[in-house]
Amino acid sequence: MATTQRPHRRRLVVLLAVTFGVVAALVGVGLYGLVLAPSPDAVAPTNDPTTPASAPGASTPAPSRTALPAILSTTDAEAFARDAADALITWDTTEFELTDYAQVVVDAGDPSDFETAALASDVRSYYPTPDAWAQLRTYGTRQWLTFDDVFIPASWDDALEQGAEDDLLPGTIAYTISGTRHRAGVVGTDAQETSRPIAFTLFIACEPSFDECHLLRLSEVDNPLR
């Protein structure tokens, strides 16, 4: 993916998605809305802040970096899937704002912007709510992903057979990620860490549709193709 700034309307889409909490439940038989007329439904955000009900009176940490790295520019679909998954799950409340992390993932999307609004909704469902993010930030909470497996799901062939010929861009492929999501922070003077299994599917389009891979859609968290 080129590192030049994306069009303003893409940034507006992700900001609106975060501001209004737009969340999509990806629907359809196997294709998760990767059709020409997707119809997402609203679901609750999938966040689980592991902090006490009342935050200590800590000041908001200042960001220590000036920019997040872009997702890998490559024609290797698996390498792209790994980097995109890492960018999606990994964040640090002391480094950047919630919208910054979401923007990096949306910027790796379809350069025609056809799937941008839907992808922004998908991305939003992976992050804490703005209120939860503010609370997590008082603890210096950070999150990261360790990979167990990255694979093309067996059901992908079935999904392709059920889709109409023109539903998918040529070169579209699905990769399912399974691993562990870790969170760590400091409560008072005590360092705390939690972890849980996580699984999700990324839908990616590479050559011949694009010169390099781009992210089209995401499955729901813990509802991947197998």
Side-chain angles (χ1 to χ4, degrees), residues 178-207:
S178 66
T180 302
R181 191 212 70 183
H182 306 269
R183 279 189 183 178
V186 177
V187 179
T189 58
D190 298 326
Q192 295 189 6
E193 183 174 329
T194 64
S195 62
R196 74 166 182 85
I198 190 172
F200 53 96
T201 300
L202 302 93
F203 300 92
I204 298 163
C206 301
E207 295 176 325

PDB file of all heavy atoms in Angstrom, residues 178-207:
ATOM      1  N   SER A 178      -5.905 -17.235  13.732  1.00  0.00           N
ATOM      2  CA  SER A 178      -6.189 -17.694  15.093  1.00  0.00           C
ATOM      3  C   SER A 178      -4.960 -17.418  15.941  1.00  0.00           C
ATOM      4  O   SER A 178      -3.823 -17.577  15.486  1.00  0.00           O
ATOM      5  CB  SER A 178      -6.548 -19.179  15.124  1.00  0.00           C
ATOM      6  OG  SER A 178      -5.434 -19.976  14.746  1.00  0.00           O
ATOM      7  N   GLY A 179      -5.199 -16.955  17.163  1.00  0.00           N
ATOM      8  CA  GLY A 179      -4.082 -16.614  18.027  1.00  0.00           C
ATOM      9  C   GLY A 179      -4.561 -16.206  19.399  1.00  0.00           C
ATOM     10  O   GLY A 179      -5.644 -16.604  19.844  1.00  0.00           O
ATOM     11  N   THR A 180      -3.766 -15.390  20.057  1.00  0.00           N
ATOM     12  CA  THR A 180      -4.081 -14.928  21.401  1.00  0.00           C
ATOM     13  C   THR A 180      -3.988 -13.410  21.444  1.00  0.00           C
ATOM     14  O   THR A 180      -3.018 -12.831  20.962  1.00  0.00           O
ATOM     15  CB  THR A 180      -3.108 -15.516  22.439  1.00  0.00           C
ATOM     16  OG1 THR A 180      -3.176 -16.946  22.368  1.00  0.00           O
ATOM     17  CG2 THR A 180      -3.471 -15.064  23.844  1.00  0.00           C
ATOM     18  N   ARG A 181      -5.022 -12.789  22.002  1.00  0.00           N
ATOM     19  CA  ARG A 181      -5.032 -11.349  22.202  1.00  0.00           C
ATOM     20  C   ARG A 181      -4.605 -11.056  23.628  1.00  0.00           C
ATOM     21  O   ARG A 181      -5.196 -11.554  24.581  1.00  0.00           O
ATOM     22  CB  ARG A 181      -6.433 -10.795  21.963  1.00  0.00           C
ATOM     23  CG  ARG A 181      -6.492  -9.273  21.889  1.00  0.00           C
ATOM     24  CD  ARG A 181      -7.809  -8.748  22.419  1.00  0.00           C
ATOM     25  NE  ARG A 181      -7.902  -8.928  23.869  1.00  0.00           N
ATOM     26  CZ  ARG A 181      -8.975  -8.606  24.580  1.00  0.00           C
ATOM     27  NH1 ARG A 181     -10.036  -8.130  23.992  1.00  0.00           N
ATOM     28  NH2 ARG A 181      -8.986  -8.773  25.901  1.00  0.00           N
ATOM     29  N   HIS A 182      -3.558 -10.250  23.774  1.00  0.00           N
ATOM     30  CA  HIS A 182      -3.030  -9.899  25.085  1.00  0.00           C
ATOM     31  C   HIS A 182      -3.333  -8.441  25.400  1.00  0.00           C
ATOM     32  O   HIS A 182      -3.301  -7.589  24.519  1.00  0.00           O
ATOM     33  CB  HIS A 182      -1.507 -10.087  25.122  1.00  0.00           C
ATOM     34  CG  HIS A 182      -1.051 -11.442  24.709  1.00  0.00           C
ATOM     35  ND1 HIS A 182      -0.878 -12.481  25.592  1.00  0.00           N
ATOM     36  CD2 HIS A 182      -0.734 -11.932  23.473  1.00  0.00           C
ATOM     37  CE1 HIS A 182      -0.470 -13.547  24.943  1.00  0.00           C
ATOM     38  NE2 HIS A 182      -0.363 -13.248  23.656  1.00  0.00           N
ATOM     39  N   ARG A 183      -3.601  -8.147  26.680  1.00  0.00           N
ATOM     40  CA  ARG A 183      -3.702  -6.770  27.162  1.00  0.00           C
ATOM     41  C   ARG A 183      -2.869  -6.621  28.432  1.00  0.00           C
ATOM     42  O   ARG A 183      -2.853  -7.522  29.272  1.00  0.00           O
ATOM     43  CB  ARG A 183      -5.152  -6.375  27.469  1.00  0.00           C
ATOM     44  CG  ARG A 183      -5.955  -5.973  26.259  1.00  0.00           C
ATOM     45  CD  ARG A 183      -7.296  -5.399  26.662  1.00  0.00           C
ATOM     46  NE  ARG A 183      -8.090  -5.084  25.490  1.00  0.00           N
ATOM     47  CZ  ARG A 183      -9.328  -4.607  25.536  1.00  0.00           C
ATOM     48  NH1 ARG A 183      -9.905  -4.397  26.712  1.00  0.00           N
ATOM     49  NH2 ARG A 183      -9.987  -4.340  24.434  1.00  0.00           N
ATOM     50  N   ALA A 184      -2.220  -5.477  28.543  1.00  0.00           N
ATOM     51  CA  ALA A 184      -1.423  -5.199  29.736  1.00  0.00           C
ATOM     52  C   ALA A 184      -1.569  -3.734  30.112  1.00  0.00           C
ATOM     53  O   ALA A 184      -1.769  -2.872  29.250  1.00  0.00           O
ATOM     54  CB  ALA A 184       0.047  -5.537  29.486  1.00  0.00           C
ATOM     55  N   GLY A 185      -1.479  -3.460  31.408  1.00  0.00           N
ATOM     56  CA  GLY A 185      -1.552  -2.092  31.904  1.00  0.00           C
ATOM     57  C   GLY A 185      -1.117  -2.053  33.355  1.00  0.00           C
ATOM     58  O   GLY A 185      -0.692  -3.068  33.920  1.00  0.00           O
ATOM     59  N   VAL A 186      -1.230  -0.886  33.941  1.00  0.00           N
ATOM     60  CA  VAL A 186      -0.824  -0.706  35.335  1.00  0.00           C
ATOM     61  C   VAL A 186      -1.997  -0.140  36.118  1.00  0.00           C
ATOM     62  O   VAL A 186      -2.533   0.924  35.771  1.00  0.00           O
ATOM     63  CB  VAL A 186       0.391   0.243  35.453  1.00  0.00           C
ATOM     64  CG1 VAL A 186       0.747   0.462  36.922  1.00  0.00           C
ATOM     65  CG2 VAL A 186       1.575  -0.318  34.690  1.00  0.00           C
ATOM     66  N   VAL A 187      -2.421  -0.857  37.154  1.00  0.00           N
ATOM     67  CA  VAL A 187      -3.495  -0.414  38.043  1.00  0.00           C
ATOM     68  C   VAL A 187      -2.856  -0.058  39.379  1.00  0.00           C
ATOM     69  O   VAL A 187      -2.340  -0.930  40.079  1.00  0.00           O
ATOM     70  CB  VAL A 187      -4.563  -1.505  38.228  1.00  0.00           C
ATOM     71  CG1 VAL A 187      -5.656  -1.010  39.176  1.00  0.00           C
ATOM     72  CG2 VAL A 187      -5.152  -1.911  36.887  1.00  0.00           C
ATOM     73  N   GLY A 188      -2.859   1.235  39.697  1.00  0.00           N
ATOM     74  CA  GLY A 188      -2.127   1.688  40.872  1.00  0.00           C
ATOM     75  C   GLY A 188      -0.640   1.526  40.620  1.00  0.00           C
ATOM     76  O   GLY A 188      -0.074   2.142  39.733  1.00  0.00           O
ATOM     77  N   THR A 189      -0.019   0.630  41.368  1.00  0.00           N
ATOM     78  CA  THR A 189       1.400   0.320  41.145  1.00  0.00           C
ATOM     79  C   THR A 189       1.587  -1.111  40.655  1.00  0.00           C
ATOM     80  O   THR A 189       2.719  -1.576  40.530  1.00  0.00           O
ATOM     81  CB  THR A 189       2.194   0.509  42.450  1.00  0.00           C
ATOM     82  OG1 THR A 189       1.640  -0.338  43.466  1.00  0.00           O
ATOM     83  CG2 THR A 189       2.143   1.957  42.912  1.00  0.00           C
ATOM     84  N   ASP A 190       0.485  -1.787  40.363  1.00  0.00           N
ATOM     85  CA  ASP A 190       0.543  -3.196  39.983  1.00  0.00           C
ATOM     86  C   ASP A 190       0.386  -3.376  38.474  1.00  0.00           C
ATOM     87  O   ASP A 190      -0.614  -2.936  37.896  1.00  0.00           O
ATOM     88  CB  ASP A 190      -0.549  -3.999  40.695  1.00  0.00           C
ATOM     89  CG  ASP A 190      -0.398  -3.970  42.209  1.00  0.00           C
ATOM     90  OD1 ASP A 190       0.762  -3.942  42.669  1.00  0.00           O
ATOM     91  OD2 ASP A 190      -1.436  -3.962  42.902  1.00  0.00           O
ATOM     92  N   ALA A 191       1.365  -4.013  37.859  1.00  0.00           N
ATOM     93  CA  ALA A 191       1.250  -4.372  36.444  1.00  0.00           C
ATOM     94  C   ALA A 191       0.296  -5.558  36.313  1.00  0.00           C
ATOM     95  O   ALA A 191       0.385  -6.524  37.072  1.00  0.00           O
ATOM     96  CB  ALA A 191       2.618  -4.726  35.883  1.00  0.00           C
ATOM     97  N   GLN A 192      -0.639  -5.459  35.370  1.00  0.00           N
ATOM     98  CA  GLN A 192      -1.598  -6.530  35.163  1.00  0.00           C
ATOM     99  C   GLN A 192      -1.623  -6.902  33.685  1.00  0.00           C
ATOM    100  O   GLN A 192      -1.417  -6.060  32.817  1.00  0.00           O
ATOM    101  CB  GLN A 192      -2.997  -6.107  35.622  1.00  0.00           C
ATOM    102  CG  GLN A 192      -3.094  -5.847  37.115  1.00  0.00           C
ATOM    103  CD  GLN A 192      -4.524  -5.636  37.571  1.00  0.00           C
ATOM    104  OE1 GLN A 192      -5.468  -5.782  36.804  1.00  0.00           O
ATOM    105  NE2 GLN A 192      -4.696  -5.296  38.849  1.00  0.00           N
ATOM    106  N   GLU A 193      -1.887  -8.178  33.412  1.00  0.00           N
ATOM    107  CA  GLU A 193      -1.968  -8.650  32.034  1.00  0.00           C
ATOM    108  C   GLU A 193      -3.054  -9.706  31.926  1.00  0.00           C
ATOM    109  O   GLU A 193      -3.217 -10.542  32.824  1.00  0.00           O
ATOM    110  CB  GLU A 193      -0.632  -9.230  31.578  1.00  0.00           C
ATOM    111  CG  GLU A 193      -0.631  -9.671  30.115  1.00  0.00           C
ATOM    112  CD  GLU A 193       0.728 -10.124  29.621  1.00  0.00           C
ATOM    113  OE1 GLU A 193       1.747  -9.594  30.133  1.00  0.00           O
ATOM    114  OE2 GLU A 193       0.782 -10.992  28.738  1.00  0.00           O
ATOM    115  N   THR A 194      -3.817  -9.652  30.853  1.00  0.00           N
ATOM    116  CA  THR A 194      -4.824 -10.664  30.561  1.00  0.00           C
ATOM    117  C   THR A 194      -4.624 -11.144  29.129  1.00  0.00           C
ATOM    118  O   THR A 194      -4.007 -10.464  28.303  1.00  0.00           O
ATOM    119  CB  THR A 194      -6.255 -10.108  30.700  1.00  0.00           C
ATOM    120  OG1 THR A 194      -6.457  -9.083  29.724  1.00  0.00           O
ATOM    121  CG2 THR A 194      -6.496  -9.542  32.096  1.00  0.00           C
ATOM    122  N   SER A 195      -5.162 -12.304  28.812  1.00  0.00           N
ATOM    123  CA  SER A 195      -5.089 -12.822  27.448  1.00  0.00           C
ATOM    124  C   SER A 195      -6.286 -13.712  27.192  1.00  0.00           C
ATOM    125  O   SER A 195      -6.874 -14.260  28.132  1.00  0.00           O
ATOM    126  CB  SER A 195      -3.786 -13.600  27.223  1.00  0.00           C
ATOM    127  OG  SER A 195      -3.712 -14.718  28.088  1.00  0.00           O
ATOM    128  N   ARG A 196      -6.641 -13.823  25.938  1.00  0.00           N
ATOM    129  CA  ARG A 196      -7.724 -14.726  25.553  1.00  0.00           C
ATOM    130  C   ARG A 196      -7.541 -15.124  24.098  1.00  0.00           C
ATOM    131  O   ARG A 196      -6.945 -14.380  23.300  1.00  0.00           O
ATOM    132  CB  ARG A 196      -9.095 -14.086  25.755  1.00  0.00           C
ATOM    133  CG  ARG A 196      -9.485 -13.021  24.738  1.00  0.00           C
ATOM    134  CD  ARG A 196     -10.975 -12.720  24.851  1.00  0.00           C
ATOM    135  NE  ARG A 196     -11.462 -11.757  23.888  1.00  0.00           N
ATOM    136  CZ  ARG A 196     -11.846 -12.063  22.650  1.00  0.00           C
ATOM    137  NH1 ARG A 196     -11.718 -13.297  22.201  1.00  0.00           N
ATOM    138  NH2 ARG A 196     -12.318 -11.128  21.850  1.00  0.00           N
ATOM    139  N   PRO A 197      -8.074 -16.287  23.690  1.00  0.00           N
ATOM    140  CA  PRO A 197      -8.002 -16.681  22.286  1.00  0.00           C
ATOM    141  C   PRO A 197      -8.821 -15.727  21.419  1.00  0.00           C
ATOM    142  O   PRO A 197      -9.816 -15.149  21.861  1.00  0.00           O
ATOM    143  CB  PRO A 197      -8.614 -18.086  22.282  1.00  0.00           C
ATOM    144  CG  PRO A 197      -8.551 -18.548  23.698  1.00  0.00           C
ATOM    145  CD  PRO A 197      -8.695 -17.324  24.543  1.00  0.00           C
ATOM    146  N   ILE A 198      -8.397 -15.576  20.175  1.00  0.00           N
ATOM    147  CA  ILE A 198      -9.122 -14.734  19.232  1.00  0.00           C
ATOM    148  C   ILE A 198      -9.010 -15.359  17.842  1.00  0.00           C
ATOM    149  O   ILE A 198      -7.999 -15.996  17.520  1.00  0.00           O
ATOM    150  CB  ILE A 198      -8.572 -13.288  19.228  1.00  0.00           C
ATOM    151  CG1 ILE A 198      -9.486 -12.360  18.421  1.00  0.00           C
ATOM    152  CG2 ILE A 198      -7.138 -13.241  18.722  1.00  0.00           C
ATOM    153  CD1 ILE A 198      -9.112 -10.887  18.544  1.00  0.00           C
ATOM    154  N   ALA A 199     -10.052 -15.206  17.050  1.00  0.00           N
ATOM    155  CA  ALA A 199     -10.037 -15.722  15.679  1.00  0.00           C
ATOM    156  C   ALA A 199     -10.913 -14.828  14.813  1.00  0.00           C
ATOM    157  O   ALA A 199     -11.951 -14.341  15.263  1.00  0.00           O
ATOM    158  CB  ALA A 199     -10.534 -17.167  15.634  1.00  0.00           C
ATOM    159  N   PHE A 200     -10.478 -14.609  13.594  1.00  0.00           N
ATOM    160  CA  PHE A 200     -11.231 -13.779  12.655  1.00  0.00           C
ATOM    161  C   PHE A 200     -10.714 -14.029  11.248  1.00  0.00           C
ATOM    162  O   PHE A 200      -9.646 -14.632  11.068  1.00  0.00           O
ATOM    163  CB  PHE A 200     -11.130 -12.295  13.019  1.00  0.00           C
ATOM    164  CG  PHE A 200      -9.723 -11.784  13.172  1.00  0.00           C
ATOM    165  CD1 PHE A 200      -9.066 -11.151  12.122  1.00  0.00           C
ATOM    166  CD2 PHE A 200      -9.051 -11.930  14.376  1.00  0.00           C
ATOM    167  CE1 PHE A 200      -7.770 -10.681  12.270  1.00  0.00           C
ATOM    168  CE2 PHE A 200      -7.754 -11.464  14.540  1.00  0.00           C
ATOM    169  CZ  PHE A 200      -7.108 -10.840  13.486  1.00  0.00           C
ATOM    170  N   THR A 201     -11.472 -13.586  10.267  1.00  0.00           N
ATOM    171  CA  THR A 201     -11.104 -13.788   8.867  1.00  0.00           C
ATOM    172  C   THR A 201     -10.973 -12.450   8.159  1.00  0.00           C
ATOM    173  O   THR A 201     -11.808 -11.559   8.339  1.00  0.00           O
ATOM    174  CB  THR A 201     -12.151 -14.654   8.137  1.00  0.00           C
ATOM    175  OG1 THR A 201     -12.229 -15.932   8.772  1.00  0.00           O
ATOM    176  CG2 THR A 201     -11.789 -14.859   6.676  1.00  0.00           C
ATOM    177  N   LEU A 202      -9.916 -12.318   7.371  1.00  0.00           N
ATOM    178  CA  LEU A 202      -9.714 -11.141   6.522  1.00  0.00           C
ATOM    179  C   LEU A 202      -9.990 -11.535   5.071  1.00  0.00           C
ATOM    180  O   LEU A 202      -9.529 -12.589   4.609  1.00  0.00           O
ATOM    181  CB  LEU A 202      -8.276 -10.621   6.628  1.00  0.00           C
ATOM    182  CG  LEU A 202      -7.767 -10.220   8.003  1.00  0.00           C
ATOM    183  CD1 LEU A 202      -7.051 -11.410   8.658  1.00  0.00           C
ATOM    184  CD2 LEU A 202      -6.813  -9.042   7.901  1.00  0.00           C
ATOM    185  N   PHE A 203     -10.725 -10.694   4.369  1.00  0.00           N
ATOM    186  CA  PHE A 203     -11.005 -10.903   2.958  1.00  0.00           C
ATOM    187  C   PHE A 203     -10.170  -9.893   2.175  1.00  0.00           C
ATOM    188  O   PHE A 203     -10.293  -8.678   2.372  1.00  0.00           O
ATOM    189  CB  PHE A 203     -12.491 -10.733   2.680  1.00  0.00           C
ATOM    190  CG  PHE A 203     -13.334 -11.718   3.453  1.00  0.00           C
ATOM    191  CD1 PHE A 203     -13.837 -11.388   4.697  1.00  0.00           C
ATOM    192  CD2 PHE A 203     -13.586 -12.974   2.948  1.00  0.00           C
ATOM    193  CE1 PHE A 203     -14.595 -12.288   5.428  1.00  0.00           C
ATOM    194  CE2 PHE A 203     -14.341 -13.901   3.671  1.00  0.00           C
ATOM    195  CZ  PHE A 203     -14.845 -13.554   4.916  1.00  0.00           C
ATOM    196  N   ILE A 204      -9.327 -10.404   1.298  1.00  0.00           N
ATOM    197  CA  ILE A 204      -8.269  -9.625   0.660  1.00  0.00           C
ATOM    198  C   ILE A 204      -8.364  -9.775  -0.851  1.00  0.00           C
ATOM    199  O   ILE A 204      -8.689 -10.846  -1.356  1.00  0.00           O
ATOM    200  CB  ILE A 204      -6.898 -10.136   1.162  1.00  0.00           C
ATOM    201  CG1 ILE A 204      -6.766  -9.929   2.671  1.00  0.00           C
ATOM    202  CG2 ILE A 204      -5.747  -9.475   0.425  1.00  0.00           C
ATOM    203  CD1 ILE A 204      -5.657 -10.754   3.298  1.00  0.00           C
ATOM    204  N   ALA A 205      -8.063  -8.705  -1.567  1.00  0.00           N
ATOM    205  CA  ALA A 205      -7.972  -8.763  -3.029  1.00  0.00           C
ATOM    206  C   ALA A 205      -6.563  -8.358  -3.454  1.00  0.00           C
ATOM    207  O   ALA A 205      -6.060  -7.327  -3.022  1.00  0.00           O
ATOM    208  CB  ALA A 205      -9.005  -7.849  -3.682  1.00  0.00           C
ATOM    209  N   CYS A 206      -5.950  -9.183  -4.280  1.00  0.00           N
ATOM    210  CA  CYS A 206      -4.598  -8.924  -4.768  1.00  0.00           C
ATOM    211  C   CYS A 206      -4.624  -8.902  -6.301  1.00  0.00           C
ATOM    212  O   CYS A 206      -5.604  -8.477  -6.895  1.00  0.00           O
ATOM    213  CB  CYS A 206      -3.636  -9.985  -4.241  1.00  0.00           C
ATOM    214  SG  CYS A 206      -3.545 -10.081  -2.419  1.00  0.00           S
ATOM    215  N   GLU A 207      -3.563  -9.360  -6.926  1.00  0.00           N
ATOM    216  CA  GLU A 207      -3.527  -9.437  -8.382  1.00  0.00           C
ATOM    217  C   GLU A 207      -4.552 -10.446  -8.860  1.00  0.00           C
ATOM    218  O   GLU A 207      -4.822 -11.432  -8.169  1.00  0.00           O
ATOM    219  CB  GLU A 207      -2.125  -9.858  -8.835  1.00  0.00           C
ATOM    220  CG  GLU A 207      -1.043  -8.844  -8.509  1.00  0.00           C
ATOM    221  CD  GLU A 207       0.343  -9.332  -8.883  1.00  0.00           C
ATOM    222  OE1 GLU A 207       0.587 -10.552  -8.751  1.00  0.00           O
ATOM    223  OE2 GLU A 207       1.169  -8.518  -9.293  1.00  0.00           O
TER     224      GLU A 207
END
